[in-house]
């Protein structure tokens, strides 16, 4: 018994001792890891700042602690930067002697040291020896090629992959070779490798698309784009069974915003596979977002022609009506017969789809069409009332319908009924963005009615809205009232301008223009001049007189850029050039001007996005000495 007790006691002491040793080891490892992180961070900071004298000893120490070859390459590059070639050569040869067998990438490093000393024959010998020493496994070829890429030796990286392909026929190295060819600006072979990768299976499509998108951003003279089309079309004709080629071509057309070509290819592909409905519906949505209404309708109508059995039929039905409505209200000339035909589409659509949460947007658009374009306010209100009877509507959904109804009462000059309904919506939507949007509508109604002081007080509160657009609109209207209310002994000019705004809201453009012309004639030097020009531009846009609208906006940009409407006018001018005047390159410059001149504008995000897109097609031609500072600022979102 005593023996057993002593044995247990000894075992307990052993366990305690083991735990203490383990804890000490863990603490030491944690301390060492922390030390490595500190030193590596400092070393990389010195290295990036090209302070090689401080970076070199730290990088060597971190490499010895971690045996991470990246730190070794940085260490050798630091020695090269210090022109300490002898030491660099010694360090590399020491590492090579330690390795059994030697790792090929270290011969690459040694070759680079020779090359820096212009010892080209020795450098070439080392580079070739590195390639010869790569063992027959994929990982080794990738490491060696990446070492060449790290030193900017793109041709040798290519040669490494090609040797790997020859040594291991089962490894194609398509993706890696394509990257090397990109660096070498050998677009023909780059495309061949990507297409060969795609031949292996469609699972590579997303990877190929991402890589090509990056390559095309570097394509200054459109050489890659032109070559892309030719090579892909040749593959499609030569290997019609590889569907991935067709999908890649459709993707390319979408990148170029050539929706007609993309749709044509998608339909041709669908006739072969019968499974492209989702892609075609998505294409229609993209065209709609880009205001290509006709192409959006063609996409949706193709799905509709396939019949009700397709699961995308209801979605296409609703989106097609929406696309027609957007085209009519944004690009149509207000022809009543077209409006009546569209109203019939809405009516039939709501009968087929039913009035429910999923079709409330159609209900609102139908009511707006009836009132503001066909002057049938009674039927418009009846349509909205049907929508309000949908069971279990959320406050925001019901509020959107009621807000549209209030707008219709404003159209019908029943301001007090509109004011009452706006108030109801605000009360029911205190906790969402709709509440602030409708507060803005209510304040504008007070402005239309000439209650300027009351309207301004409401607008001043809304300037703190969480919605940028609501806050921006509230600020602009508040400043318009504040800047013009006390300039004269009477409020006649502002009253006339508010009446013109009301007529514009009511879609009575001719009456609005007449009032604005009278205001400009009666008060030619009033501070409302830029506002008058801006309203006239909006009216001309409604009438599709885009060239005249651009003239008005250009006057504001030139003569009143310092004023409140400067950024609004510049952005709208860019939009007109981009979407209506066929001046995309000019639009790109206008978006760029927005980024530099109005960095705090509410339109800054949209301008940045559209500038980036257009820059892919129309690259900036900046002077060499600027070193692309603006472009880097854009990419880093400094604007």
């Amino acid at each position: 018994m005593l023996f057993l007790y002593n044995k247990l006691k000894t075992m307990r002491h052993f366990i305690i001792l083991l735990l203490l040793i383990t804890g000490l080891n863990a603490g030491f490892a944690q301390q060492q890891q922390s030390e490595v992180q500190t030193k590596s961070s400092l070393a990389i900071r010195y290295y990036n700042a090209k302070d090689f004298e401080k970076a070199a000893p730290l990088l060597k120490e971190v490499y010895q602690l971690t045996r991470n070859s990246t730190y070794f390459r940085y260490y050798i590059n630091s020695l090269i930067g210090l022109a300490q070639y002898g030491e660099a050569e010694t360090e590399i040869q020491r590492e090579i002697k330690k390795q059994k067998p030697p790792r090929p990438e270290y011969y690459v490093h040694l070759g680079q040291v020779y090359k820096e000393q212009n010892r080209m024959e020795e450098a070439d010998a080392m580079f070739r020896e590195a390639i010869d020493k790569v063992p027959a496994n994929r990982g080794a070829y990738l490491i060696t090629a990446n070492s060449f890429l790290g030193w900017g030796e793109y041709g040798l990286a290519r040669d490494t992959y090609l040797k790997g392909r020859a040594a291991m026929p089962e490894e194609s190295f398509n993706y890696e070779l394509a990257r090397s060819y990109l660096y070498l600006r050998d677009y023909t072979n780059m495309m061949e490798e990507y297409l060969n990768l795609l031949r292996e299976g469609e699972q590579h499509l997303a990877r190929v698309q991402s890589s090509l998108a990056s390559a095309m951003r570097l394509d200054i003279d459109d050489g890659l784009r032109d070559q892309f089309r030719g090579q892909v079309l040749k593959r499609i004709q030569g290997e019609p069974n590889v569907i991935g080629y067709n999908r890649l071509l459709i993707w390319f057309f979408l990148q170029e915003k050539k929706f007609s070509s993309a749709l044509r290819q998608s339909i041709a592909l669908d006739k072969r596979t019968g499974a492209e409905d989702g892609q075609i519906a998505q294409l229609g949505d993209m065209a709609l977002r880009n205001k290509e209404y006709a192409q959006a309708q063609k996409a949706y109508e193709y799905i509709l022609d396939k019949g009700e059995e397709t699961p995308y039929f209801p979605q296409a039905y609703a989106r097609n009506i929406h696309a027609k409505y957007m085209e009519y209200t944004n690009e149509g000339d207000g022809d009543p017969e077209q409006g009546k035909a569209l109203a019939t589409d809405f009516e039939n659509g709501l009968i087929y789809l039913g009035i429910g949460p999923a079709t409330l947007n159609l209900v609102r658009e139908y009511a707006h069409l009836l009132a503001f374009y066909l002057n049938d306010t009674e039927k418009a209100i009846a349509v909205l009332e049907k929508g309000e009877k949908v069971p279990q509507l959320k406050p925001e959904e019901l509020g959107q319908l009621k807000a549209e109804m209030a707008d219709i009462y404003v159209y019908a000059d029943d301001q007090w009924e509109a004011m009452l309904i706006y108030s109801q919506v605000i009360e029911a939507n205190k906790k969402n963005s709709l509440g602030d949007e409708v507060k803005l509508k209510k304040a504008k109604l007070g402005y239309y009615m000439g209650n300027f002081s009351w309207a301004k007080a409401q607008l001043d509160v809304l300037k703190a809205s969480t919605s940028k657009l609501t806050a921006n609109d509230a600020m602009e209207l508040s400043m318009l009232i504040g800047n013009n209310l006390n300039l004269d002994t009477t409020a006649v000019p502002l009253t006339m301008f508010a009446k013109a705004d009301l007529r514009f809201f009511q879609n009575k453009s001719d009456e609005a223009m007449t009032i604005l012309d009278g205001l400009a004639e009666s008060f030619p030097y009033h501070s409302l001049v830029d506002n008058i020009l801006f309203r006239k531009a909006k009216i001309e846009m409604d009438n599709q007189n885009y060239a005249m609208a651009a003239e008005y906006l250009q006057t504001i940009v030139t003569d009143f850029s310092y004023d409140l409407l400067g950024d609004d006018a510049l952005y709208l001018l860019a939009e007109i050039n981009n979407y209506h005047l066929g001046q995309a390159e000019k639009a790109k410059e206008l978006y760029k001007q927005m980024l530099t001149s109005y960095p705090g504008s509410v339109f800054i995000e949209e301008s940045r996005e559209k500038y980036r897109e257009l820059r892919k097609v129309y690259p900036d031609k900046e002077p060499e000495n600027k070193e692309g500072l603006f472009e880097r600022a854009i990419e880093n979102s400094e604007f």
Side-chain angles (χ1 to χ4, degrees), residues 277-295:
D277 292 358
Q279 164 68 26
I280 293 172
Q282 188 177 16
L283 192 158
D285 294 346
M286 289 181 65
L288 189 58
R289 286 194 298 272
N290 283 273
K291 304 179 184 179
E292 293 278 352
Y293 304 121
Q295 296 306 318

Side-chain angles (χ1 to χ4, degrees), residues 100-338:
K100 300 295 181 184
R103 291 166 59 179
E105 65 266 27
Y106 286 81
Y107 290 91
V108 177
H109 301 330
L110 187 55
Q112 190 65 29
V113 173
Y114 291 148
K115 185 175 180 179
E116 291 291 336
Q117 299 172 75
N118 206 28
R119 296 159 62 181
M120 302 308 295
E121 288 186 11
E122 293 171 274
D124 186 63
M126 283 298 104
F127 291 148
R128 292 301 161 188
E129 187 170 356
I131 296 175
D132 290 341
K133 286 184 178 296
V134 182
N137 71 76
R138 177 179 173 82
Y141 277 104
L142 293 176
I143 291 170
T144 305
N146 281 335
S147 184
F148 279 123
L149 291 173
W151 290 111
E153 298 291 345
Y154 307 128
L156 290 165
R158 173 202 58 202
D159 294 347
T160 304
Y161 293 131
L162 289 172
K163 181 177 180 291
R165 175 182 286 177
M168 298 180 296
E170 72 280 6
E171 296 290 348
S172 64
F173 293 102
N174 294 128
Y175 181 79
E176 293 77 16
L177 270 165
R179 186 172 60 153
S180 297
Y181 286 127
L182 169 62
Y183 295 143
L184 292 166
R185 299 295 187 265
D186 184 350
Y187 294 140
T188 300
N189 279 313
M190 181 197 77
M191 278 301 308
E192 286 300 307
E193 294 298 337
Y194 280 135
L195 292 172
N196 289 340
L197 181 62
L198 204 51
R199 181 197 286 143
E200 294 180 6
E202 280 190 45
Q203 69 270 21
H204 299 295
L205 181 61
R207 193 181 190 189
V208 171
Q209 289 171 348
S210 176
S211 299
L212 284 173
S214 299
M216 286 175 181
R217 281 196 288 271
L218 304 173
D219 184 25
I220 303 299
D221 57 1
D222 288 346
L224 173 55
R225 288 176 170 81
D226 294 338
Q227 202 157 320
F228 174 93
R229 279 186 288 265
Q231 286 181 258
V232 175
L233 286 170
K234 185 177 178 181
R235 287 289 186 108
I236 289 172
Q237 293 166 0
E239 302 174 58
N241 294 327
V242 182
I243 300 298
Y245 299 151
N246 301 81
R247 298 198 190 285
L248 187 62
L249 184 60
I250 292 167
W251 167 83
F252 173 73
F253 284 138
L254 290 175
Q255 299 304 298
E256 300 284 286
K257 299 190 185 302
K258 294 179 178 177
F259 297 105
S260 176
S261 299
L263 180 59
R264 186 166 57 250
Q265 289 291 327
S266 296
I267 290 173
L269 183 59
D270 185 66
K271 289 179 178 177
R272 292 173 58 191
T273 68
E276 307 304 314
D277 292 358
Q279 164 68 26
I280 293 172
Q282 188 177 16
L283 192 158
D285 294 346
M286 289 181 65
L288 189 58
R289 286 194 298 272
N290 283 273
K291 304 179 184 179
E292 293 278 352
Y293 304 121
Q295 296 306 318
Q297 289 172 59
K298 285 181 182 178
Y300 299 136
E301 285 166 2
Y302 176 79
I303 295 174
L304 295 176
D305 288 342
K306 295 184 74 172
E308 297 182 32
E309 62 276 7
T310 171
Y312 290 91
F313 188 89
Q315 173 186 324
Y317 199 143
R319 296 282 176 84
N320 193 41
I321 296 172
H322 172 62
K324 290 180 180 180
Y325 171 81
M326 295 299 291
E327 183 178 38
Y328 181 78
T329 55
N330 289 311
E331 295 185 353
D333 56 7
D335 178 53
E337 293 305 314
Q338 290 182 5

